[in-house]
Amino acid sequence: MKELTDIVNAYDIAAQSGIKTALATVVQVEGSAYRRAGARMLITEDGQLTGAISGGCLEGDALRKARLVIHQQEAMLVTYDTMDDDDSKLGVGLGCNGIIHILIEPINDSGTSPIGLLKAIVDKRLQGVLVTLFSIEDRKAPQPGTCLCLTTQGLEISGLESSDHRLSLINDAQRVFDQQQSETRILTGEVEYTAFVEFIKPLITLVVIGAGNDAIPLTKMAAVLGWDVTVVDGRPNYAIADRFPSARKVIIAKPSEVLQHVDLNPQTAFVLMTHNYNYELALLQELIPLQLPYVGILGPKKKLERMLAELEDNGFNITQDQLNGIYGPVGLDIGSEGAEEIALSILSEIKAVLSSRQGYSLKFKPTPIHTTHIKKISSS
């Protein structure tokens, strides 16, 4: 989501200056590659790049092709075979052992542009589905590109008015939205098209409970990741916006008031670090029934055990499912010392939990780094 946000912001700046742009999207990967399908990059006619489609190997060639796309105002599908180590092809030995298909689309103000569909997700900080349509079999055929966006706020469609696949793609988008799992679908007909139906998670929302000095590096590092950060504390002399310039909101609130200031989504994480036992106990009682994916509590394990026991002694029933989302001591075991390293540990654990990963070294991962869960379905 951060990449999409950066691209939308960069487009707005370019558009205000009258600079033409194109959008490059990794639409399909066969084998291994640095970026997976869904990676995007905005390219301006004067050579500014926002986002990334590789580790830097493909960007130069993509820039050259994007300028052609901008000039001709026609989308282009480009394929890079990184299985070949011959430096003469791209000027660099990639060694990724994959085939990468990248669709480059011109951005213009006529109708609903790809950027307009991205904005439908980014501006409202929503989860959603984007559909990108392209033809690998017939590269000279029209490449419809980013053509559909589905969110809880509704459906937006661009360029499918006369398409035989319009209804089918709407149904595909709804299914992917419900299942929260991307698909690649083959659409047969006069021209064989591939539809990349991509589920996009909402922006990670980090709610830091506690405005002490140790919360400052946590908010700064989360902002670098593009997370939406809110800081909450009951102490007016701590909860000061100037102390947390990286946070979108800094709130003064009692535990019973906190949830009034937070928009919860499936990517919301709380970290309790007030160093005030009673404040955190009262807030934990508010959070547990919500069964959030991540509630981290700074401090020793005995502190959390005492809090849970105290709640249960007062008649508060805590289920195993609710306990599964509570993390204390907070963070991954990376030998952290000091506020900055503790922040790194906490953010790493949050990312691992929200990605359903274990957080161990990739050295010991028995399967490829990017395991794909994309379905391939043929449809006429």
Side-chain angles (χ1 to χ4, degrees), residues 303-379:
K303 172 187 172 182
L304 175 57
E305 291 174 344
R306 177 187 167 193
M307 296 172 82
L308 296 174
E310 202 167 321
L311 290 174
E312 290 182 329
D313 288 345
N314 291 328
F316 195 80
N317 182 44
I318 305 173
T319 68
Q320 185 58 50
D321 285 342
Q322 292 168 340
L323 281 175
N324 289 340
I326 300 174
Y327 293 80
V330 66
L332 294 184
D333 182 8
I334 58 173
S336 302
E337 294 288 344
E340 290 77 13
E341 291 183 358
I342 291 172
L344 174 63
S345 168
I346 293 171
L347 296 176
S348 298
E349 183 178 55
I350 292 172
K351 177 58 182 172
V353 169
L354 295 182
S355 300
S356 301
R357 300 298 177 90
Q358 296 300 313
Y360 55 75
S361 295
L362 290 173
K363 172 181 179 180
F364 303 111
K365 187 175 176 67
T367 58
I369 295 174
H370 297 310
T371 53
T372 179
H373 300 286
I374 293 177
K375 301 177 182 178
K376 292 193 175 182
I377 309 169
S378 293
S379 173

Side-chain angles (χ1 to χ4, degrees), residues 18-30:
I19 299 172
K20 295 179 180 179
T21 58
L23 180 68
T25 303
V26 178
V27 290
Q28 187 168 305
V29 174
E30 303 166 36

